[in-house]
Amino acid sequence: MRELTLRGIVIGGIITLVFTAANVYLGLKVGLTLSASSGPGPSASPPSGRC
């Protein structure tokens, strides 16, 4: 198993961390942007008087 070396494992781990951090950051940024731009939710509307 010559392909599995310490150097390969370390480089793969670093690349994994970078891409994971980028995905989490962009996912949260897009999620917060979409939730903020959608306006007030149903709880902010006035009561309709119906049961």
Side-chain angles (χ1 to χ4, degrees):
M1 228 199 262
R2 182 76 179 120
E3 297 87 9
L4 189 61
T5 61
L6 181 62
R7 179 179 164 211
I9 293 172
V10 169
I11 292 175
I14 291 172
I15 291 173
T16 301
L17 286 174
V18 168
F19 275 100
T20 302
N23 281 331
V24 169
Y25 172 75
L26 289 174
L28 289 174
K29 188 173 176 67
V30 169
L32 289 175
T33 303
L34 288 177
S35 67
S37 67
S38 64
S43 61
S45 61
S48 62
R50 291 188 227 157
C51 291

